Amino acid sequence: MHNQVHIYLNGTMSHVPSAANDPTFFLHHCNVDRLLETWIRRYGASYSAQPATGASPGENRYEHIVPFFPPYSHADMFKPSTELGYDYQELHGEGMDGGSDLGECSAPHPEGVSPGVIGMGVGIALGLVLLLAVAGLLCFRYGPKIPQRQVGDADMDMSERS
């Protein structure tokens, strides 16, 4: 799921060297972290799925994760966010009752469009109108000037036509 988002968004997000330059990179990775935190709170910080030995190099439970410095093992990082120094304001399945949707969208509110959304739309529309008005005034004031024709130029044009 993680990689498919990078591929779908394309652009800088689909290229490893430049992915972190895209603002959506941080939104995506924060959401991946939130989903992992939801899973940890629901099932506990169990290391049972990660073998202590026998996995590929660097993938065993107590081996260091490359290229992090200072070095951390997988077991060090597989902890609830509160142990790592941060927490989420709101998290699905907080009570670990098994009712978590692990990030699926909830149903829309039945009351329709909120006044906040309407206000935001009106604000954007007024901002665009103001921006276009200022751009028009600037173009009128500082835009390219059409050279004025001299009276002598008009006489030459008449003589050239005949």
Side-chain angles (χ1 to χ4, degrees):
M1 285 176 46
H2 165 266
N3 292 346
Q4 294 304 317
V5 173
H6 281 276
I7 294 167
Y8 177 78
L9 291 174
N10 207 354
T12 56
M13 276 287 282
S14 64
H15 303 295
V16 173
S18 63
N21 294 333
D22 194 319
T24 57
F25 173 88
F26 296 99
L27 295 173
H28 171 53
H29 281 259
C30 287
N31 188 52
V32 169
D33 185 66
R34 182 188 62 84
L35 291 172
L36 176 63
E37 180 66 17
T38 303
W39 188 88
I40 288 173
R41 290 187 187 184
R42 188 175 195 187
Y43 299 108
S46 167
Y47 309 120
S48 61
Q50 191 171 27
T53 60
S56 299
E59 297 295 324
N60 291 311
R61 185 180 315 160
Y62 299 105
E63 290 182 357
H64 293 116
I65 304 170
V66 177
F68 295 130
F69 188 81
Y72 292 101
S73 71
H74 296 280
D76 292 332
M77 299 304 288
F78 205 105
K79 297 178 179 179
S81 63
T82 52
E83 290 184 32
L84 298 172
Y86 65 98
D87 196 7
Y88 288 91
Q89 182 177 358
E90 184 179 313
L91 201 61
H92 296 283
E94 190 77 39
M96 294 190 5
D97 59 356
S100 170
D101 61 6
L102 292 176
E104 294 177 13
C105 295
S106 58
H109 297 287
E111 64 266 7
V113 179
S114 71
V117 171
I118 293 172
M120 184 173 62
V122 169
I124 290 171
L126 290 175
L128 287 173
V129 167
L130 180 64
L131 180 68
L132 289 173
V134 168
L137 287 173
L138 289 173
C139 284
F140 179 74
R141 173 71 176 97
Y142 298 106
K145 304 290 185 201
I146 300 173
Q148 301 259 337
R149 295 189 75 153
Q150 303 272 337
V151 175
D153 292 341
D155 292 339
M156 281 187 1
D157 286 346
M158 294 298 267
S159 64
E160 290 175 2
R161 289 183 188 169
S162 38

